[in-house]
Amino acid sequence: MSSSHPPFSEVAAARVVSFEEARHLVEQHAAGVRPGEIETVDLLAGLGRVLAEEILADRDFPPFARATRDGYAVRASDLAEVPARLEVVGEVKAGDWPEPGLCSVGRGQAVGIMTGAPLPAGADAVVMVEHTSPADRAVEVQRSVKAGENFVPLGAEARAGQLLLDRGRRLDHAGIAIAASVGKSQVQVFRRPRVAVLSTGDELVEIDAMPGPAQIRNSNSYSLAAQVQNAGGEAVRLEVAPDERGRLRALIEEGLGCDLLLLTGGVSMGKYDLVEQVVAELKAEFYFTGAQIQPGRPVVFGSCGSGDDVRADCQSAANTRTEVSAPHREYFFGLPGNPVSTMVTFELFARPMIEALAGQNPRPLIFLGARLKSEIRTKTGLKRFLPAVLSGEFENAEVELARWQGSGDIAALARANCYVVIPRDREQIDSGEWVSLLMR
């Protein structure tokens, strides 16, 4: 291959930014993308998808005053002095409806009640069965209760018409339960964005091939596809791009036909790192060409396309199609080729863009905290996300760095369950100090 390619600095003005600026740039662009079409799916098929409609309460929740304990529905004033003896005039279990004329609580009376059952008329509290002793057609109560104790009032959780799940929320098991509780057997969700995954480099072979002496299997394509799926996208794995300008350009153009393109490898400053050169030929705009982090410093974010208004289809929550004007940008990330760098930069930068394309409401990046088990020494200048192991239980969790041999060490990442986040101005963190964590 000819070595006459222009150097990186001539392809685009190098723009290496802080981690925080890089993240904010991605979030700003993600805020402007439109999710795909709206689909109607069965409720369980919506698990992991992003809601394209609001879920409202179809009635008050609970729809009646609901007992939260097994025991007796009573008037609290009858238990001002205990022990007290009350006449048992009925029983109500979950699913029963206590008719006021047939099952109600008068002065000096009690009604047996089960968890989840409606509170009978006249009662204003439930005394737990543990604090009672049955007697002939009566009950001895050893502990007093206050009005409102051990039941949930009608409408205390939600009122009819109240918003329960917002549009743009990714459905998890709790969301599924809420949708089911309001009778939604089907839900409207956004189409999963199609995310092209393109690995580059002559050293790569497919995973079912026997690598040559200087070759490696294309694991990045599979790890990225898994991360894409986990983020709510549909991965489109392209064939490996060789270190040859013409074929690389053709594959990049194919990938730009998807909602997002993820390239891995070819974004450093080596003689055969051609990605930036090729996307520059496609009139790319680079938002940053590096971030001050380790691993993953040479990460690239940009877009192709004129940015002019184009006609695009969209689908309203009423399931009708209209045409709207939208700026057309074909976004791409160039992720470093070393596996750990690839995985870290995906989580830090590509994930929020995929979530936005999937219709998900923006979420801030939140770090957790734990005490450091062993001292860390490093150099200043870069914000570091280093593979680590969080161990212990309950309030005694602690974290230490995983033993690793650099950003190509996949085995170390498999042993890790989080990343320790080290500020760029720290060169030593003592054991026992609290450190920030990014969970895997």
Side-chain angles (χ1 to χ4, degrees):
M1 179 178 290
S2 168
S3 61
S4 61
H5 307 309
F8 170 76
S9 58
E10 294 179 17
V11 174
R15 184 156 188 252
V16 179
V17 299
S18 69
F19 161 71
E20 291 77 10
E21 183 177 355
R23 174 77 185 198
H24 289 156
L25 280 166
V26 171
E27 291 173 340
Q28 289 166 14
H29 284 273
V33 303
R34 280 197 176 94
E37 296 84 4
I38 294 173
E39 304 172 344
T40 299
V41 300
D42 290 340
L43 179 56
L44 280 179
L47 181 64
R49 304 287 293 274
V50 179
L51 278 173
E53 63 174 328
E54 295 178 339
I55 303 295
L56 307 178
D58 65 333
R59 57 179 182 164
D60 291 339
F61 281 85
F64 49 81
R66 185 184 68 227
T68 59
R69 296 288 190 274
D70 293 336
Y72 293 88
V74 298
R75 295 186 177 205
S77 59
D78 286 340
L79 301 179
E81 295 183 8
V82 289
R85 184 182 179 91
L86 303 177
E87 178 188 6
V88 177
V89 296
E91 181 181 86
V92 59
K93 64 181 187 299
D96 286 345
W97 184 255
E99 295 292 342
L102 300 176
C103 186
S104 58
V105 178
R107 181 174 298 175
Q109 294 179 333
V111 168
I113 196 166
M114 309 303 168
T115 300
L119 199 69
D124 61 7
V126 173
V127 61
M128 296 169 60
V129 69
E130 294 92 327
H131 304 145
T132 66
S133 300
D136 184 29
R137 296 186 180 181
V139 62
E140 295 280 350
V141 182
Q142 285 82 40
R143 182 177 296 184
S144 61
V145 291
K146 296 179 180 178
E149 194 167 340
N150 295 326
F151 74 92
V152 179
L154 181 150
E157 297 168 356
R159 288 293 185 180
Q162 183 176 330
L163 178 66
L164 299 180
L165 296 176
D166 204 356
R167 186 177 190 264
R169 170 177 173 143
R170 192 172 181 185
L171 271 177
D172 56 9
H173 59 279
I176 293 288
I178 289 173
S181 72
V182 302
K184 296 287 290 185
S185 61
Q186 293 185 316
V187 288
Q188 291 185 335
V189 295
F190 291 109
R191 174 182 63 81
R192 295 183 186 272
R194 299 178 72 247
V195 181
V197 177
L198 177 58
S199 296
T200 68
D202 288 340
E203 74 277 14
L204 299 178
V205 298
E206 279 303 328
I207 63 171
D208 55 357
M210 178 58 68
Q215 293 179 316
I216 57 174
R217 292 187 176 94
N218 181 22
S219 64
N220 280 349
S221 178
Y222 286 85
S223 66
L224 278 177
Q227 288 179 287
V228 166
Q229 182 173 327
N230 182 261
E234 175 189 341
V236 179
R237 293 180 54 254
L238 304 179
E239 66 178 80
V240 174
D243 292 326
E244 186 274 312
R245 185 185 295 267
R247 185 59 185 149
L248 175 60
R249 174 166 178 154
L251 287 167
I252 288 176
E253 289 176 329
E254 181 181 349
L256 289 171
C258 291
D259 298 299
L260 179 67
L261 170 61
L262 302 181
L263 302 111
T264 175
V267 295
S268 296
M269 297 178 64
K271 176 177 172 181
Y272 298 111
D273 290 334
L274 307 177
V275 167
E276 280 127 334
Q277 298 172 29
V278 171
V279 292
E281 293 173 1
L282 299 173
K283 303 187 183 303
E285 180 180 359
F286 293 87
Y287 306 119
F288 57 81
T289 56
Q292 293 168 341
I293 60 173
Q294 185 212 11
R297 190 177 189 276
V299 62
V300 172
F301 174 48
S303 68
C304 295
S306 63
D308 297 333
D309 283 353
V310 296
R311 304 303 289 177
D313 283 337
C314 76
Q315 203 167 16
S316 71
N319 216 30
T320 58
R321 302 187 69 83
T322 56
E323 284 193 335
V324 297
S325 294
H328 180 61
R329 286 192 176 94
E330 297 163 333
Y331 285 103
F332 64 86
F333 287 93
L335 308 180
N338 282 327
V340 179
S341 299
T342 303
M343 296 181 205
V344 170
T345 51
F346 176 94
E347 293 299 327
L348 296 178
F349 305 118
R351 175 180 283 274
M353 180 61 76
I354 294 172
E355 290 177 343
L357 289 166
Q360 190 168 340
N361 293 329
R363 301 181 302 161
L365 183 63
I366 297 175
F367 297 142
L368 305 180
R371 290 192 183 278
L372 189 62
K373 188 175 182 179
S374 304
E375 176 190 70
I376 294 176
R377 291 180 178 269
T378 186
K379 296 179 180 179
T380 58
L382 299 176
K383 195 179 191 92
R384 302 180 193 275
F385 298 83
L386 304 183
V389 178
L390 180 65
S391 59
E393 62 177 356
F394 307 127
E395 296 86 3
N396 300 315
E398 55 185 2
V399 66
E400 64 179 338
L401 294 183
R403 297 186 304 275
W404 72 314
Q405 303 301 316
S407 55
D409 190 348
I410 304 177
L413 193 59
R415 293 191 296 269
N417 55 15
C418 64
Y419 303 99
V420 167
V421 184
I422 303 176
R424 56 184 300 182
D425 61 349
R426 295 292 303 271
E427 60 181 358
Q428 178 176 336
I429 304 178
D430 295 328
S431 62
E433 282 194 57
W434 283 88
V435 292
S436 296
L437 304 181
L438 177 65
M439 299 306 298
R440 280 191 49 212

